[in-house]
Amino acid sequence: MKSKDAILRGMPISPGIAINKVFAFNRYKLPTRINKEELNVDKEMLKLQRAFDEAKKDLETIRKHIGDMLGDDYSAILDAQLLFLEDEELHKAIYKLIEEKKMTAEMAFRTVLKNYLISIEKQTNSNYLRERAMDFRDIGMRVVDKLGGILTSNIKDAKNKIVVANDVSTTELLNLAQEGIVGIILASGGQTSHTSIVAKALEIPMVIQVKGITELIKSGMTAIIDGKDGIVVLNPSEKTKRQFEKKHKDYIDELNDLKGIVDLDAITVDGAKIDLVANIEMPLEVDIALHNGAKGIGLYRTEFLYLEKGFPPTIEEMYNDYSSVVKKMSPNSVIIRTIDLGADKLLHDIYYGKEQNPFLGWRGIRICLEKELIFREQLIAILKASLDGEVKIMLPMVSNIEEVIKAKEIIEDVKKEINYPKDRYVDVGIMIEVPSAALMSDKLAPLVDFFSIGSNDLTQYTLAVDRGNHKVNYIYDSLHPSVLKLIQMTVENAHKNNIWVGVCGEMAGDPYAIPILLGLGVDELSMTPISIPVAKKIIRNLSLSEAKILANKALNHRNGKEIRTDIDKEIEEKFISLKNIFNIGRINHDNDK
Ligand code: PEP
Ligand code: MG
């Protein structure tokens, strides 16, 4: 039979191969085009009313929850949105378009909303109105979702399928993962976006930046996803399926081989021991971390409980999650990072409007210090969980000394408030992920118990390259010597002040970066759990003295490509047996092509 294979290429994110039917995840469907003659006005009106009712119900639940937790001041934030839904003028305007212009409910709603937003935003002198426009945009998206977006019940159809979408948010991925999807292909997406990080953590094969994929697929079509090499095949022939089935088997064999070293230490041939720990986003990943031999959690990202619910969780909900992780990992330690909301992780009630430069804006510790109540509640949950095992607190997005001093004061105050036992000490560390923090690491080190280098953001901010924007992806390279120089400076200042330093960005699990980070003196590597066995195998074949030579050379190179070429030479000459391993974990770089 003639082959019907349509082969597409993208960026490999999460390894693994799946052959299955696709599921088109289309959140914001374009308005359905219906022949004017065919349009049933009553049906469209009913659809609209139902969407408004559902959106209102959602808002009321959120409002009540916020009110219970934070008081009426906070819940009032949603009042404007509720009023919007009840606005008679708005209803009339939409109905008019449906009735007179024979528009669908979606189209009529979008048209009225757009005009409404334009008229408000024109009044640029009024901050109040501009903020209200944001509220309306939010509620607008909620209604559009109800009208034309995918319904939660549709997500159930994703079971055992390969999801295809333009992009998905992290919470959407989590919901889809719960349904048991077997792969995910995105038309856009970023290498170190949180969605990509979570897909890896959940071991779901993922390929991103596959141009045109959403236009090419139809739900029900069969596809192959190869998350190791970034290949997508649509309508594969039987022959192609067999080829990929074989490749899948080889990959699994290789992984099983690696599992043999899970219980061994990560120790170099000349006796230097490195701590290999895991990055997690939610408790269910602890088992994956343990299976892969993690000796602790080096980064527990805590935003997802907030994002999943759409508002801050209760202290009890947080405590339950944290405590279950802490107990399972005991006696090893768990570094709980306080919320790093903002930028791409927005939350309704601490959302103050569209920012020109969200990654340079209201994010991480900046939000916590201003929304102190939310910060304090999380600290209570963390401190309570610290009594169940070994916990360290980590502050994200630190860019100056004052933030650390203030955050530490709040931590001490919360301890007093909850009568935290005086004989218990909880380490407080900071992420070094903003160049200013690396450059000021000599002054920051005396204030904290450890540093953890967030190489994803450090790369983004050092090279001024949006980590999620594929247009500039070719510039994004954590092995750029400028990033390495900041890491070197951070490590030196940490050690001078007798504190340890880890790396918890994606580069910690990149085989090409591991020898360099070791050579620069990093004490701990924290990575997505499935990368741990590969990292361990590399470390166990490497000597610290060789790593130091490589790191020194790397600091003098002109770009990341030259550094990777050095390492490739090293592999060919000394570690040919590791070649496959390097391929498994390799992070592809546009600028190496
Ligand atoms: C980082 O920036 O490297 C990091 C680990 O934090 P996140 O990816 O959560 O921003
Ligand atoms: Mg970061």
Side-chain angles (χ1 to χ4, degrees):
M1 199 170 74
K2 227 173 141 211
S3 161
K4 305 174 284 179
D5 298 358
I7 299 175
L8 304 166
R9 287 187 179 271
M11 179 182 280
I13 290 293
S14 176
I17 290 168
I19 305 173
N20 223 313
K21 296 250 186 287
V22 299
F23 173 78
F25 181 71
N26 206 355
R27 212 172 348 153
Y28 302 122
K29 273 196 298 192
L30 285 173
T32 333
R33 297 211 173 273
I34 299 182
N35 244 336
K36 286 200 172 154
E37 294 76 57
E38 285 170 20
L39 188 119
N40 180 331
V41 171
D42 289 342
K43 218 171 122 192
E44 295 304 310
M45 299 271 200
L46 200 70
K47 218 163 99 185
L48 187 76
Q49 193 51 51
R50 200 173 293 147
F52 269 63
D53 288 347
E54 281 175 21
K56 200 169 151 196
K57 227 158 74 197
D58 277 8
L59 275 188
E60 273 163 357
T61 314
I62 298 174
R63 191 182 186 283
K64 179 169 181 326
H65 196 92
I66 295 173
D68 289 348
M69 276 182 55
L70 304 173
D72 290 346
D73 279 358
Y74 282 86
S75 61
I77 293 169
L78 295 182
D79 285 355
Q81 297 195 25
L82 278 165
L83 282 176
F84 173 84
L85 287 179
E86 285 159 6
D87 186 335
E88 270 186 31
E89 290 305 310
L90 179 91
H91 285 235
K92 270 193 215 151
I94 304 169
Y95 288 151
K96 203 166 164 211
L97 288 180
I98 297 176
E99 217 163 356
E100 291 176 9
K101 302 263 181 220
K102 298 278 180 287
M103 282 189 185
T104 60
E106 292 117 288
M107 194 113 77
F109 177 75
R110 280 172 187 262
T111 309
V112 170
L113 181 72
K114 197 169 143 209
N115 292 340
Y116 204 66
L117 292 176
I118 290 173
S119 77
I120 291 178
E121 278 171 357
K122 266 193 192 147
Q123 303 171 49
T124 45
N125 291 337
S126 166
N127 271 343
Y128 170 72
L129 279 178
R130 257 188 281 128
E131 274 169 30
R132 288 198 65 187
M134 274 297 129
D135 281 344
F136 298 144
R137 183 170 286 125
D138 259 5
I139 184 63
M141 286 328 283
R142 195 176 284 278
V143 176
V144 170
D145 231 3
K146 303 285 179 200
L147 280 170
I150 191 157
L151 298 170
T152 340
S153 58
N154 291 124
I155 291 184
K156 300 247 177 285
D157 297 339
K159 191 174 171 55
N160 291 330
K161 303 229 171 78
I162 299 170
V163 171
V164 176
N166 181 44
D167 205 353
V168 296
S169 72
T170 319
T171 23
E172 283 164 345
L173 175 61
L174 291 175
N175 289 335
L176 288 163
Q178 267 163 11
E179 295 306 327
I181 61 167
V182 295
I184 181 148
I185 306 167
L186 299 182
S188 59
Q191 191 175 3
T192 54
S193 74
H194 289 107
T195 305
S196 297
I197 292 168
V198 172
K200 266 197 262 188
L202 294 174
E203 304 185 21
I204 299 172
M206 181 178 189
V207 179
I208 62 168
Q209 297 174 17
V210 183
K211 293 194 182 81
I213 183 73
T214 49
E215 286 79 31
L216 286 168
I217 57 112
K218 286 190 187 69
S219 271
M221 181 188 256
T222 298
I224 297 174
I225 174 173
D226 174 353
K228 176 161 131 16
D229 289 329
I231 297 171
V232 170
V233 189
L234 301 179
N235 284 329
S237 63
E238 287 306 314
K239 190 172 155 219
T240 310
K241 277 193 204 164
R242 279 195 299 278
Q243 273 170 4
F244 277 88
E245 274 158 8
K246 159 98 177 55
K247 197 171 171 190
H248 177 61
K249 187 184 169 300
D250 291 348
Y251 171 71
I252 297 293
D253 288 349
E254 230 155 40
L255 281 190
N256 285 338
D257 199 38
L258 278 171
K259 298 249 155 87
I261 63 164
V262 160
D263 296 325
L264 305 178
D265 279 335
I267 190 159
T268 61
V269 291
D270 48 357
K273 195 158 170 274
I274 309 297
D275 292 323
L276 290 189
V277 291
N279 293 352
I280 62 163
E281 277 78 26
M282 51 191 150
L284 70 93
E285 291 166 272
V286 174
D287 287 333
I288 307 175
L290 288 169
H291 288 152
N292 284 286
K295 291 285 187 281
I297 301 297
L299 167 63
Y300 181 179
R301 292 184 171 97
T302 56
E303 299 80 41
F304 295 109
L305 207 48
Y306 293 70
L307 296 171
E308 204 177 26
K309 301 176 77 70
F311 42 81
T314 63
I315 294 175
E316 200 186 348
E317 282 166 333
M318 288 187 271
Y319 166 74
N320 288 342
D321 266 19
Y322 304 163
S323 172
S324 77
V325 172
V326 170
K327 285 179 186 155
K328 270 192 175 169
M329 286 312 297
S330 187
N332 291 316
S333 71
V334 176
I335 300 181
I336 303 182
R337 182 178 74 179
T338 57
I339 41 171
D340 188 16
L341 291 167
D344 56 344
K345 289 172 285 181
L346 302 172
L347 199 65
H348 268 292
D349 64 321
I350 50 172
Y351 176 49
Y352 83 104
K354 195 169 168 16
E355 296 180 70
Q356 287 288 341
N357 290 298
F359 279 99
L360 302 182
W362 206 46
R363 177 182 177 187
I365 190 80
R366 301 170 183 183
I367 292 183
C368 286
L369 294 181
E370 203 177 315
K371 296 281 179 191
E372 204 179 306
L373 190 58
I374 290 175
F375 187 40
R376 292 176 82 98
E377 290 198 338
Q378 187 183 26
L379 288 171
I380 293 175
I382 298 176
L383 288 167
K384 272 181 72 185
S386 76
L387 300 174
D388 300 334
E390 192 54 41
V391 167
K392 301 184 198 326
I393 297 176
M394 178 153 76
L395 309 169
M397 192 61 194
V398 165
S399 60
N400 63 57
I401 307 278
E402 290 71 26
E403 287 163 343
V404 182
I405 295 173
K406 181 79 188 127
K408 284 188 69 181
E409 275 169 16
I410 296 174
I411 294 170
E412 285 312 307
D413 202 48
V414 171
K415 278 187 185 168
K416 275 195 209 125
E417 184 190 321
I418 61 167
N419 281 326
Y420 192 76
K422 295 226 165 28
D423 57 342
R424 294 283 294 235
Y425 183 81
V426 183
D427 282 2
V428 177
I430 56 170
M431 295 203 58
I432 301 287
E433 52 184 345
V434 178
S436 66
L439 293 162
M440 295 298 287
S441 51
D442 58 333
K443 303 288 187 292
L444 286 163
L447 300 176
V448 295
D449 300 299
F450 65 92
F451 283 157
S452 186
I453 297 169
S455 55
N456 304 336
D457 278 314
L458 190 61
T459 305
Q460 154 164 275
Y461 296 129
T462 304
L463 297 172
V465 57
D466 179 346
R467 61 194 261 195
N469 180 346
H470 71 274
K471 278 294 268 187
V472 286
N473 198 53
Y474 69 100
I475 305 173
Y476 187 96
D477 189 355
S478 295
L479 273 177
H480 193 280
S482 59
V483 179
L484 297 183
K485 282 178 189 173
L486 291 174
I487 295 177
Q488 179 196 36
M489 180 181 281
T490 304
V491 173
E492 278 176 10
N493 286 326
H495 290 170
K496 263 188 219 152
N497 286 279
N498 300 315
I499 62 168
W500 62 268
V501 54
V503 174
C504 63
E506 287 299 282
M507 80 185 295
D510 176 1
Y512 283 78
I514 290 169
I516 309 289
L517 294 175
L518 246 60
L520 290 174
V522 166
D523 305 292
E524 180 193 272
L525 295 174
S526 189
M527 62 196 75
T528 184
I530 51 165
S531 300
I532 293 176
V534 171
K536 196 176 281 181
K537 184 146 186 183
I538 290 168
I539 291 168
R540 290 179 62 85
N541 279 278
L542 204 75
S543 78
L544 188 60
S545 49
E546 276 165 343
K548 281 186 178 155
I549 295 169
L550 275 170
N552 275 330
K553 263 173 92 179
L555 288 165
N556 286 304
H557 277 314
R558 294 174 303 174
N559 52 45
K561 187 179 174 186
E562 289 180 355
I563 297 172
R564 276 184 287 275
T565 305
D566 262 5
I567 300 203
D568 275 332
K569 245 174 46 205
E570 201 81 0
I571 298 168
E572 289 295 335
E573 284 164 16
K574 296 195 199 129
F575 306 118
I576 198 72
S577 63
L578 288 183
K579 201 164 175 178
N580 254 348
I581 293 288
F582 268 75
N583 277 335
I584 287 188
R586 182 182 176 120
I587 292 178
N588 271 29
H589 282 272
D590 279 7
N591 46 3
D592 286 359
K593 280 175 195 158

